[in-house]
Coordinates of all heavy atoms in Angstrom, one line a residue:
M226 N 15.5 13.2 120.6 CA 14.8 12.0 121.1 C 15.0 10.8 120.4 O 14.9 9.6 120.9 CB 13.3 12.4 121.2 CG 13.0 13.4 122.2 SD 13.2 12.7 123.8 CE 12.4 13.9 124.9
D227 N 15.3 10.9 119.0 CA 15.4 9.7 118.2 C 16.8 9.0 118.4 O 16.8 7.8 118.2 CB 15.3 10.1 116.8 CG 13.8 10.3 116.3 OD1 13.0 9.9 117.0 OD2 13.7 11.0 115.2
T228 N 17.7 9.7 119.0 CA 19.0 9.1 119.1 C 19.0 7.9 119.9 O 19.6 6.8 119.5 CB 20.0 10.1 119.7 OG1 20.0 11.3 118.8 CG2 21.4 9.6 119.7
P229 N 18.5 7.9 121.1 CA 18.5 6.6 122.0 C 17.8 5.4 121.2 O 18.3 4.3 121.2 CB 17.8 6.9 123.2 CG 17.8 8.5 123.3 CD 17.9 9.0 121.9
R230 N 16.8 5.7 120.5 CA 16.1 4.6 119.9 C 16.8 4.0 118.7 O 17.0 2.9 118.5 CB 14.7 5.1 119.4 CG 13.9 4.0 118.7 CD 12.5 4.4 118.5 NE 11.9 3.2 118.0 CZ 10.9 3.2 117.1 NH1 10.5 4.4 116.7 NH2 10.4 2.2 116.6
T231 N 17.5 5.0 117.9 CA 18.4 4.6 116.8 C 19.6 3.7 117.4 O 19.9 2.7 116.8 CB 18.9 5.8 116.1 OG1 17.8 6.5 115.7 CG2 19.7 5.4 114.9
S232 N 20.1 4.2 118.5 CA 21.2 3.4 119.1 C 20.8 2.0 119.5 O 21.5 1.0 119.3 CB 21.7 4.2 120.4 OG 22.7 3.4 121.0
L233 N 19.6 1.9 120.1 CA 19.0 0.6 120.4 C 18.8 -0.4 119.1 O 19.2 -1.5 119.2 CB 17.7 0.7 121.2 CG 17.9 1.1 122.7 CD1 16.5 1.3 123.3 CD2 18.7 0.1 123.4
D234 N 18.3 0.4 118.1 CA 18.1 -0.4 116.9 C 19.5 -0.9 116.3 O 19.5 -2.0 115.8 CB 17.4 0.5 115.9 CG 16.0 0.8 116.2 OD1 15.5 0.0 117.0 OD2 15.4 1.7 115.6
R235 N 20.4 -0.1 116.4 CA 21.8 -0.5 115.9 C 22.2 -1.7 116.7 O 22.8 -2.7 116.1 CB 22.8 0.6 116.0 CG 22.8 1.5 114.8 CD 24.0 2.5 114.9 NE 23.6 3.7 114.2 CZ 23.8 4.9 114.6 NH1 24.5 5.1 115.8 NH2 23.4 5.9 114.0
R236 N 22.1 -1.6 118.0 CA 22.5 -2.7 118.9 C 21.7 -4.0 118.5 O 22.3 -5.1 118.5 CB 22.2 -2.4 120.4 CG 23.3 -1.5 120.9 CD 23.1 -1.3 122.4 NE 23.9 -0.2 122.9 CZ 23.5 0.5 123.9 NH1 22.4 0.2 124.6 NH2 24.2 1.6 124.3
A237 N 20.4 -3.9 118.3 CA 19.6 -5.0 117.9 C 20.2 -5.6 116.6 O 20.3 -6.8 116.5 CB 18.1 -4.6 117.9
V238 N 20.4 -4.7 115.6 CA 20.9 -5.2 114.4 C 22.2 -5.8 114.5 O 22.4 -7.0 114.0 CB 20.9 -4.0 113.3 CG1 21.7 -4.4 112.1 CG2 19.6 -3.5 113.0
L239 N 23.1 -5.3 115.3 CA 24.4 -5.9 115.4 C 24.3 -7.2 116.1 O 25.1 -8.1 115.8 CB 25.3 -4.9 116.3 CG 25.8 -3.6 115.5 CD1 26.6 -2.7 116.4 CD2 26.7 -4.1 114.4
R240 N 23.5 -7.4 117.1 CA 23.3 -8.7 117.8 C 22.8 -9.7 116.8 O 23.3 -10.8 116.8 CB 22.3 -8.5 118.9 CG 22.9 -8.4 120.3 CD 21.8 -8.4 121.4 NE 22.0 -7.3 122.2 CZ 21.0 -6.4 122.4 NH1 19.8 -6.6 122.1 NH2 21.3 -5.3 123.1
R241 N 21.8 -9.3 116.0 CA 21.3 -10.3 115.0 C 22.4 -10.7 114.0 O 22.5 -11.8 113.7 CB 20.1 -9.6 114.3 CG 18.9 -9.7 115.3 CD 17.6 -9.2 114.6 NE 16.6 -9.3 115.5 CZ 15.5 -8.5 115.5 NH1 15.4 -7.7 114.5 NH2 14.6 -8.6 116.4
V242 N 23.1 -9.6 113.5 CA 24.1 -9.9 112.5 C 25.3 -10.8 113.2 O 25.7 -11.8 112.6 CB 24.8 -8.6 112.0 CG1 26.0 -8.9 111.1 CG2 23.8 -7.9 111.1
G243 N 25.6 -10.4 114.4 CA 26.6 -11.3 115.2 C 26.2 -12.7 115.4 O 26.9 -13.7 115.2
G244 N 24.8 -12.8 115.7 CA 24.3 -14.2 115.9 C 24.3 -14.9 114.6 O 24.6 -16.1 114.5
A245 N 24.0 -14.3 113.4 CA 24.0 -15.0 112.2 C 25.4 -15.4 111.8 O 25.6 -16.5 111.3 CB 23.3 -14.1 111.1
L246 N 26.4 -14.4 112.0 CA 27.7 -14.8 111.7 C 28.2 -15.9 112.6 O 28.9 -16.8 112.1 CB 28.7 -13.6 112.0 CG 28.6 -12.5 110.9 CD1 29.4 -11.3 111.3 CD2 29.1 -13.0 109.5
A247 N 27.9 -16.0 113.9 CA 28.3 -17.0 114.7 C 27.7 -18.3 114.2 O 28.3 -19.4 114.2 CB 27.8 -16.8 116.2
L248 N 26.4 -18.4 113.8 CA 25.8 -19.6 113.3 C 26.5 -20.0 112.0 O 26.7 -21.2 111.8 CB 24.3 -19.3 113.0 CG 23.4 -20.5 112.7 CD1 23.5 -21.5 113.8 CD2 22.1 -20.0 112.3
A249 N 26.9 -19.0 111.2 CA 27.6 -19.4 109.9 C 28.9 -20.1 110.2 O 29.3 -20.9 109.4 CB 27.8 -18.1 109.1
V250 N 29.6 -19.7 111.3 CA 30.8 -20.3 111.6 C 30.6 -21.6 112.4 O 31.3 -22.6 112.1 CB 31.7 -19.3 112.5 CG1 32.9 -20.0 113.1 CG2 32.1 -18.1 111.7
V251 N 29.7 -21.6 113.4 CA 29.5 -22.8 114.2 C 28.9 -24.0 113.4 O 29.3 -25.2 113.7 CB 28.6 -22.5 115.4 CG1 28.2 -23.6 116.2 CG2 29.5 -21.5 116.3
A252 N 27.9 -23.7 112.6 CA 27.2 -24.8 111.9 C 28.2 -25.7 111.0 O 28.1 -27.0 111.2 CB 26.2 -24.3 111.0
P253 N 29.1 -25.2 110.3 CA 30.1 -26.1 109.5 C 31.0 -26.8 110.5 O 31.3 -28.0 110.2 CB 30.8 -25.1 108.6 CG 30.0 -23.9 108.5 CD 29.2 -23.8 109.8
V254 N 31.4 -26.2 111.5 CA 32.3 -26.8 112.5 C 31.6 -27.9 113.2 O 32.1 -29.1 113.3 CB 32.8 -25.8 113.5 CG1 33.6 -26.5 114.7 CG2 33.7 -24.8 112.9
A255 N 30.3 -27.7 113.6 CA 29.5 -28.8 114.2 C 29.3 -30.0 113.2 O 29.4 -31.1 113.6 CB 28.2 -28.2 114.6
A256 N 29.1 -29.7 112.0 CA 28.9 -30.7 111.0 C 30.2 -31.5 110.9 O 30.2 -32.8 110.7 CB 28.5 -30.1 109.6
A257 N 31.3 -30.8 110.8 CA 32.6 -31.5 110.7 C 32.9 -32.4 111.9 O 33.4 -33.5 111.8 CB 33.8 -30.5 110.5
V258 N 32.5 -31.8 113.1 CA 32.7 -32.7 114.3 C 31.9 -34.0 114.3 O 32.3 -35.0 114.6 CB 32.5 -31.9 115.6 CG1 32.3 -32.7 116.8 CG2 33.5 -30.8 115.8
Q259 N 30.6 -33.8 113.8 CA 29.8 -35.0 113.7 C 30.4 -36.0 112.7 O 30.3 -37.2 112.9 CB 28.4 -34.6 113.2 CG 27.5 -34.0 114.3 CD 26.1 -33.7 113.9 OE1 25.9 -33.4 112.6 NE2 25.2 -33.6 114.8
G260 N 31.0 -35.5 111.7 CA 31.6 -36.4 110.7 C 32.8 -37.2 111.3 O 33.0 -38.4 111.0
C261 N 33.4 -36.7 112.3 CA 34.5 -37.3 113.0 C 33.9 -38.5 113.9 O 34.6 -39.5 114.1 CB 35.3 -36.4 113.9 SG 36.2 -35.2 113.0
G262 N 32.7 -38.3 114.3 CA 32.1 -39.3 115.2 C 31.3 -40.4 114.4 O 30.5 -41.0 114.9
K263 N 31.7 -40.6 113.1 CA 31.0 -41.6 112.3 C 31.2 -43.0 112.9 O 32.1 -43.3 113.6 CB 31.4 -41.5 110.9 CG 32.8 -42.0 110.6 CD 33.1 -41.9 109.1 CE 34.4 -42.4 108.8 NZ 34.9 -42.3 107.5
K264 N 30.2 -43.8 112.6 CA 30.2 -45.1 113.1 C 31.4 -45.9 112.7 O 31.8 -45.9 111.5 CB 28.9 -45.8 112.6 CG 28.4 -46.9 113.4 CD 27.0 -47.4 112.8 CE 26.6 -48.7 113.3 NZ 25.4 -49.1 112.7
P265 N 32.1 -46.6 113.6 CA 33.2 -47.5 113.2 C 32.9 -48.6 112.3 O 31.7 -49.2 112.4 CB 33.8 -48.0 114.5 CG 32.8 -47.7 115.5 CD 31.8 -46.7 115.0
L266 N 33.8 -49.0 111.5 CA 33.5 -50.1 110.6 C 33.3 -51.4 111.3 O 34.0 -51.7 112.2 CB 34.8 -50.3 109.6 CG 34.7 -51.4 108.6 CD1 33.6 -51.2 107.6 CD2 36.1 -51.6 107.9
S267 N 32.2 -52.1 111.0 CA 32.0 -53.4 111.6 C 32.0 -54.5 110.6 O 31.4 -54.5 109.6 CB 30.6 -53.4 112.3 OG 30.2 -54.7 112.8
C268 N 32.8 -55.5 110.9 CA 32.8 -56.7 110.0 C 32.6 -58.0 110.7 O 33.3 -59.0 110.7 CB 34.3 -56.8 109.4 SG 34.8 -55.3 108.6
A269 N 31.5 -57.9 111.5 CA 31.1 -59.0 112.4 C 29.9 -59.9 111.9 O 29.5 -60.8 112.6 CB 30.8 -58.4 113.8
D270 N 29.4 -59.5 110.7 CA 28.2 -60.2 110.2 C 28.7 -61.6 109.7 O 29.3 -61.6 108.6 CB 27.5 -59.4 109.1 CG 26.3 -60.1 108.6 OD1 25.8 -61.1 109.2 OD2 25.7 -59.6 107.6
T271 N 28.3 -62.6 110.3 CA 28.7 -64.0 109.8 C 27.4 -64.8 109.3 O 27.5 -66.0 109.2 CB 29.3 -64.8 111.0 OG1 28.4 -64.9 112.1 CG2 30.6 -64.1 111.5
A272 N 26.4 -64.1 109.0 CA 25.1 -64.7 108.6 C 25.3 -65.6 107.4 O 24.6 -66.6 107.3 CB 24.1 -63.6 108.3
G273 N 26.1 -65.3 106.4 CA 26.3 -66.1 105.2 C 27.3 -67.2 105.3 O 27.5 -67.9 104.3
L274 N 27.9 -67.4 106.5 CA 28.9 -68.4 106.6 C 28.3 -69.8 107.0 O 27.3 -69.8 107.7 CB 30.0 -68.0 107.7 CG 30.8 -66.7 107.4 CD1 31.7 -66.5 108.6 CD2 31.6 -66.9 106.1
S275 N 29.1 -70.8 106.7 CA 28.7 -72.2 107.1 C 29.1 -72.2 108.6 O 29.8 -71.4 109.1 CB 29.5 -73.2 106.4 OG 30.8 -73.1 106.7
F276 N 28.5 -73.3 109.2 CA 28.8 -73.4 110.6 C 30.3 -73.6 110.9 O 30.8 -73.0 111.8 CB 28.0 -74.6 111.2 CG 28.3 -74.9 112.6 CD1 27.7 -74.2 113.7 CD2 29.2 -75.9 113.0 CE1 28.1 -74.4 115.0 CE2 29.5 -76.1 114.4 CZ 28.9 -75.4 115.4
A277 N 30.9 -74.3 110.0 CA 32.4 -74.6 110.2 C 33.2 -73.3 110.0 O 34.1 -73.1 110.8 CB 32.8 -75.6 109.1
D278 N 32.8 -72.5 109.0 CA 33.6 -71.2 108.8 C 33.3 -70.3 110.0 O 34.2 -69.6 110.5 CB 33.1 -70.6 107.5 CG 33.7 -71.3 106.3 OD1 34.7 -72.2 106.5 OD2 33.2 -71.1 105.2
A279 N 32.1 -70.2 110.5 CA 31.8 -69.4 111.7 C 32.5 -69.9 112.9 O 33.1 -69.1 113.6 CB 30.2 -69.4 111.9
Q280 N 32.7 -71.2 113.0 CA 33.3 -71.8 114.1 C 34.8 -71.4 114.1 O 35.5 -71.3 115.1 CB 33.2 -73.3 114.2 CG 33.5 -74.0 115.5 CD 32.6 -73.3 116.6 OE1 31.3 -73.1 116.5 NE2 33.2 -73.1 117.7
T281 N 35.4 -71.4 112.8 CA 36.9 -71.0 112.7 C 37.1 -69.6 113.3 O 38.1 -69.4 113.9 CB 37.3 -71.1 111.2 OG1 37.1 -72.5 110.8 CG2 38.7 -70.7 111.0
R282 N 36.2 -68.7 113.0 CA 36.3 -67.4 113.5 C 36.4 -67.4 115.1 O 37.2 -66.6 115.7 CB 35.1 -66.5 113.1 CG 35.2 -66.1 111.7 CD 33.9 -65.4 111.2 NE 33.8 -64.0 111.6 CZ 34.1 -63.0 110.8 NH1 34.6 -63.2 109.5 NH2 34.0 -61.7 111.2
V283 N 35.6 -68.3 115.6 CA 35.6 -68.4 117.1 C 36.8 -69.1 117.6 O 37.5 -68.6 118.5 CB 34.3 -69.2 117.6 CG1 34.4 -69.4 119.1 CG2 33.1 -68.4 117.2
T284 N 37.2 -70.2 116.9 CA 38.4 -71.0 117.4 C 39.7 -70.1 117.3 O 40.5 -70.1 118.2 CB 38.6 -72.2 116.5 OG1 37.3 -73.0 116.6 CG2 39.7 -73.0 116.9
L285 N 39.7 -69.2 116.3 CA 41.0 -68.4 116.1 C 40.8 -67.1 116.9 O 41.7 -66.2 116.8 CB 41.3 -68.2 114.7 CG 41.7 -69.5 114.0 CD1 42.0 -69.2 112.4 CD2 43.0 -70.1 114.5
A286 N 39.6 -67.0 117.6 CA 39.4 -65.7 118.4 C 39.5 -64.5 117.5 O 40.1 -63.4 117.9 CB 40.4 -65.7 119.6
Y287 N 38.9 -64.5 116.3 CA 38.8 -63.3 115.5 C 38.0 -62.3 116.2 O 37.0 -62.5 116.8 CB 38.1 -63.6 114.1 CG 37.9 -62.2 113.4 CD1 38.9 -61.6 112.7 CD2 36.6 -61.6 113.5 CE1 38.7 -60.4 112.2 CE2 36.4 -60.4 112.8 CZ 37.4 -59.8 112.2 OH 37.2 -58.6 111.6
S288 N 38.5 -61.0 116.2 CA 37.8 -59.9 116.8 C 37.9 -58.7 115.9 O 38.9 -58.6 115.1 CB 38.5 -59.6 118.1 OG 38.0 -58.3 118.7
D289 N 36.8 -57.9 115.9 CA 36.8 -56.7 115.0 C 37.8 -55.7 115.5 O 38.2 -54.7 114.6 CB 35.4 -56.1 115.0 CG 34.8 -56.0 113.7 OD1 35.2 -56.8 112.8 OD2 33.8 -55.3 113.5
R290 N 38.5 -55.9 116.6 CA 39.6 -55.0 117.1 C 40.6 -56.0 117.5 O 40.4 -56.8 118.5 CB 39.1 -54.1 118.2 CG 38.3 -52.9 117.8 CD 39.0 -52.0 117.0 NE 38.2 -50.9 116.5 CZ 37.5 -50.9 115.3 NH1 37.6 -52.0 114.5 NH2 36.7 -49.9 114.9
A291 N 41.9 -55.8 117.0 CA 43.0 -56.7 117.4 C 43.2 -56.6 118.9 O 43.3 -55.4 119.4 CB 44.2 -56.4 116.6
L292 N 43.3 -57.6 119.6 CA 43.7 -57.6 121.0 C 45.1 -57.0 121.2 O 45.3 -56.4 122.2 CB 43.6 -59.0 121.6 CG 42.2 -59.7 121.7 CD1 42.2 -61.0 122.3 CD2 41.2 -58.7 122.4
D293 N 46.0 -57.4 120.2 CA 47.3 -56.7 120.2 C 47.3 -55.7 119.1 O 47.4 -56.0 117.9 CB 48.4 -57.8 119.9 CG 49.8 -57.3 119.9 OD1 49.9 -56.1 119.9 OD2 50.7 -58.1 119.9
P294 N 47.3 -54.4 119.5 CA 47.2 -53.3 118.5 C 48.4 -53.3 117.5 O 48.3 -52.6 116.6 CB 47.0 -52.1 119.4 CG 47.4 -52.5 120.8 CD 47.3 -54.0 120.9
T295 N 49.5 -54.0 117.9 CA 50.6 -54.0 117.0 C 50.4 -55.1 115.8 O 51.3 -55.1 115.0 CB 51.9 -54.2 117.7 OG1 51.9 -55.6 118.3 CG2 52.1 -53.2 118.8
K296 N 49.3 -55.8 116.0 CA 49.1 -56.9 115.0 C 47.7 -56.9 114.4 O 47.0 -57.8 114.5 CB 49.4 -58.3 115.7 CG 50.9 -58.5 116.1 CD 51.1 -59.8 116.7 CE 52.5 -60.0 117.1 NZ 52.8 -61.2 117.8
P297 N 47.3 -55.8 113.7 CA 46.0 -55.8 113.1 C 46.0 -56.6 111.8 O 47.1 -56.9 111.2 CB 45.8 -54.3 112.8 CG 47.1 -53.7 112.6 CD 48.1 -54.6 113.5
C298 N 44.8 -57.1 111.4 CA 44.7 -57.8 110.2 C 45.4 -57.0 109.0 O 45.9 -57.7 108.0 CB 43.2 -58.0 109.8 SG 42.4 -59.1 111.0
S299 N 45.3 -55.7 109.0 CA 45.9 -55.0 107.8 C 47.4 -55.2 107.6 O 47.8 -54.9 106.5 CB 45.6 -53.5 108.0 OG 46.2 -53.0 109.2
T300 N 48.0 -55.8 108.7 CA 49.5 -56.0 108.6 C 49.7 -57.5 108.5 O 50.9 -57.9 108.5 CB 50.2 -55.4 109.8 OG1 49.8 -56.1 110.9 CG2 50.0 -53.9 109.8
C301 N 48.7 -58.3 108.3 CA 48.9 -59.8 108.3 C 49.1 -60.2 106.9 O 48.4 -59.7 106.0 CB 47.7 -60.4 109.0 SG 47.7 -62.2 108.9
A302 N 49.9 -61.3 106.7 CA 50.2 -61.8 105.4 C 49.0 -62.5 104.7 O 48.8 -62.6 103.5 CB 51.3 -62.8 105.6
K303 N 48.0 -62.9 105.6 CA 46.8 -63.5 105.1 C 45.6 -62.6 104.8 O 44.6 -63.0 104.3 CB 46.4 -64.6 106.2 CG 47.4 -65.6 106.3 CD 47.1 -66.4 107.6 CE 48.3 -67.3 107.9 NZ 48.3 -67.8 109.3
F304 N 45.9 -61.3 105.0 CA 44.8 -60.3 104.8 C 44.6 -60.0 103.3 O 45.6 -59.7 102.7 CB 45.0 -59.1 105.7 CG 43.9 -58.0 105.6 CD1 42.6 -58.3 106.0 CD2 44.2 -56.8 105.0 CE1 41.6 -57.4 106.0 CE2 43.1 -55.8 105.0 CZ 41.9 -56.1 105.4
R305 N 43.4 -59.8 102.9 CA 43.1 -59.4 101.5 C 42.3 -58.0 101.6 O 41.1 -58.1 101.9 CB 42.4 -60.4 100.7 CG 43.1 -61.7 100.5 CD 44.4 -61.4 99.7 NE 45.3 -62.6 99.7 CZ 46.4 -62.7 100.4 NH1 46.8 -61.7 101.1 NH2 47.2 -63.8 100.3
S306 N 42.9 -56.9 101.3 CA 42.3 -55.6 101.6 C 41.2 -55.3 100.5 O 41.4 -55.7 99.3 CB 43.3 -54.5 101.6 OG 42.7 -53.3 101.6
A307 N 40.2 -54.7 100.9 CA 39.1 -54.1 100.0 C 39.1 -52.7 100.1 O 38.1 -52.0 99.7 CB 37.8 -54.8 100.3
G308 N 40.2 -52.0 100.8 CA 40.2 -50.6 101.0 C 40.2 -50.3 102.4 O 39.8 -51.1 103.2
A309 N 40.7 -49.1 102.8 CA 40.9 -48.8 104.2 C 39.6 -48.7 105.0 O 39.6 -49.0 106.1 CB 41.6 -47.4 104.3
E310 N 38.5 -48.3 104.3 CA 37.2 -48.1 105.0 C 36.3 -49.3 104.7 O 35.0 -49.1 104.8 CB 36.6 -46.8 104.6 CG 37.4 -45.6 104.9 CD 37.6 -45.3 106.4 OE1 36.6 -45.5 107.0 OE2 38.6 -44.9 106.8
A311 N 36.7 -50.4 104.3 CA 35.9 -51.5 104.0 C 36.4 -52.9 104.6 O 37.5 -53.0 104.8 CB 35.8 -51.7 102.4
C312 N 35.5 -53.8 104.7 CA 35.8 -55.1 105.3 C 36.5 -55.9 104.1 O 36.1 -55.9 103.0 CB 34.6 -55.9 105.6 SG 33.6 -55.1 106.9
G313 N 37.7 -56.4 104.5 CA 38.5 -57.2 103.6 C 38.2 -58.7 103.8 O 37.1 -59.0 104.3
G314 N 39.2 -59.5 103.3 CA 39.0 -60.9 103.5 C 40.3 -61.5 104.1 O 41.2 -60.8 104.3
C315 N 40.2 -62.8 104.3 CA 41.3 -63.5 104.9 C 41.5 -64.9 104.3 O 40.4 -65.5 104.0 CB 41.2 -63.6 106.4 SG 42.3 -64.7 107.2
E316 N 42.6 -65.4 104.1 CA 42.8 -66.7 103.6 C 42.5 -67.8 104.5 O 42.1 -68.9 104.2 CB 44.3 -66.9 103.2 CG 44.8 -66.0 102.1 CD 46.4 -66.2 101.9 OE1 47.0 -67.0 102.5 OE2 46.9 -65.4 101.1
V317 N 42.5 -67.6 105.8 CA 42.2 -68.5 106.9 C 40.8 -68.4 107.5 O 40.0 -69.3 107.7 CB 43.3 -68.4 108.0 CG1 43.0 -69.4 109.1 CG2 44.6 -68.6 107.4
V318 N 40.4 -67.1 107.9 CA 39.2 -66.8 108.6 C 38.2 -66.3 107.5 O 38.5 -65.2 106.9 CB 39.4 -65.8 109.6 CG1 38.1 -65.4 110.4 CG2 40.4 -66.3 110.7
K319 N 37.2 -67.1 107.2 CA 36.2 -66.7 106.2 C 35.3 -65.5 106.8 O 35.1 -65.4 107.9 CB 35.4 -67.9 105.7 CG 36.2 -69.0 105.2 CD 37.1 -68.6 104.0 CE 38.0 -69.7 103.5 NZ 39.2 -69.2 102.8
G320 N 34.7 -64.9 105.8 CA 33.8 -63.8 106.2 C 34.4 -62.4 106.2 O 35.6 -62.3 105.8
P321 N 33.7 -61.4 106.5 CA 34.2 -60.1 106.5 C 35.3 -59.9 107.5 O 35.1 -60.3 108.7 CB 33.0 -59.2 106.7 CG 32.0 -60.1 107.4 CD 32.2 -61.4 106.9
I322 N 36.4 -59.2 107.2 CA 37.6 -59.0 108.1 C 37.8 -57.5 108.2 O 38.0 -56.9 107.1 CB 38.8 -59.8 107.5 CG1 38.5 -61.3 107.4 CG2 40.0 -59.5 108.4 CD1 38.2 -62.0 108.7
N323 N 37.8 -57.1 109.4 CA 38.1 -55.6 109.7 C 39.6 -55.4 109.6 O 40.4 -56.1 110.1 CB 37.6 -55.3 111.0 CG 37.6 -53.8 111.2 OD1 38.5 -53.1 110.9 ND2 36.4 -53.3 111.8
P324 N 40.1 -54.4 108.8 CA 41.5 -54.1 108.7 C 42.1 -53.9 110.1 O 43.3 -54.1 110.3 CB 41.6 -52.8 107.9 CG 40.3 -52.7 107.2 CD 39.3 -53.4 107.9
L325 N 41.3 -53.5 111.1 CA 41.7 -53.3 112.4 C 41.5 -54.5 113.3 O 41.8 -54.5 114.5 CB 41.1 -52.1 113.1 CG 41.2 -50.8 112.4 CD1 40.4 -49.7 113.1 CD2 42.7 -50.4 112.4
G326 N 41.0 -55.6 112.7 CA 40.7 -56.8 113.4 C 42.0 -57.5 113.8 O 43.1 -57.1 113.4
G327 N 41.8 -58.7 114.3 CA 42.8 -59.6 114.6 C 42.4 -61.0 115.1 O 41.3 -61.2 115.4
C328 N 43.4 -61.9 115.0 CA 43.1 -63.3 115.5 C 44.4 -64.0 115.9 O 45.5 -63.4 115.7 CB 42.3 -64.2 114.5 SG 43.3 -64.9 113.3
R329 N 44.3 -65.2 116.4 CA 45.5 -65.9 116.9 C 46.4 -66.3 115.7 O 47.5 -66.7 116.0 CB 45.1 -67.2 117.6 CG 44.5 -66.8 119.0 CD 44.3 -68.1 119.8 NE 43.4 -67.9 120.9 CZ 42.5 -68.7 121.3 NH1 42.2 -69.8 120.7 NH2 41.8 -68.3 122.3
S330 N 45.9 -66.3 114.5 CA 46.7 -66.8 113.4 C 47.5 -65.6 112.6 O 47.9 -65.9 111.5 CB 45.8 -67.5 112.4 OG 46.5 -68.3 111.5
W331 N 47.6 -64.5 113.3 CA 48.3 -63.4 112.6 C 49.7 -63.8 112.2 O 50.4 -64.5 113.0 CB 48.4 -62.1 113.6 CG 49.0 -61.0 113.0 CD1 48.4 -60.0 112.3 CD2 50.4 -60.7 113.0 NE1 49.3 -59.1 111.8 CE2 50.6 -59.4 112.3 CE3 51.6 -61.3 113.5 CZ2 51.8 -58.8 112.1 CZ3 52.8 -60.7 113.3 CH2 52.9 -59.5 112.6
T332 N 50.0 -63.4 111.0 CA 51.4 -63.8 110.4 C 52.0 -62.6 109.8 O 51.3 -61.9 109.0 CB 51.2 -64.9 109.4 OG1 50.5 -66.0 109.9 CG2 52.6 -65.4 108.9
A333 N 53.2 -62.3 110.2 CA 53.9 -61.1 109.6 C 54.1 -61.3 108.1 O 54.3 -62.4 107.6 CB 55.2 -60.9 110.3
R334 N 54.0 -60.2 107.4 CA 54.2 -60.2 105.9 C 55.8 -60.3 105.8 O 56.5 -59.8 106.6 CB 53.8 -58.9 105.3 CG 52.3 -58.8 105.3 CD 51.8 -57.6 104.5 NE 50.4 -57.6 104.4 CZ 49.7 -56.5 104.2 NH1 50.3 -55.3 104.1 NH2 48.4 -56.5 104.2
T335 N 56.1 -61.1 104.8 CA 57.6 -61.2 104.5 C 58.0 -60.3 103.3 O 57.3 -59.9 102.5 CB 57.9 -62.6 104.2 OG1 57.2 -63.1 103.2 CG2 57.8 -63.5 105.5
Ligands
SF4_245 S1 44.8 -64.6 109.8 FE1 43.8 -63.5 111.5 S2 45.0 -61.7 111.8 FE2 45.5 -62.5 109.8 S3 44.1 -61.5 108.3 FE3 43.2 -63.4 108.9 S4 41.8 -62.8 110.7 FE4 43.3 -61.2 110.4

């Protein structure tokens, strides 16, 4: 008479162990996926700029994402990098510059 109950207990234990193993596998994968969805770099804060410098950004149509993806700031001769994941600078457009940004004054490096 004990056999059916023991069998059920084994199934219950196996289910719980299986659930724990699945959680052990899924949790790190879910954490890694969330890491992929991290917030994109934003270099749009112009609070510290003079009116003229802020206006230059507008006049040259600076954007945090280059309108022409083949001409991002990171490939421009006027770009000053602060690292791949940080806002850099520019000789022409003052304020924070996104490596993926762009403007009308893009110039190829020589
Ligand atoms: S000139 Fe324009 S494209 Fe070149 S780094 Fe400055 S903002 Fe970017």
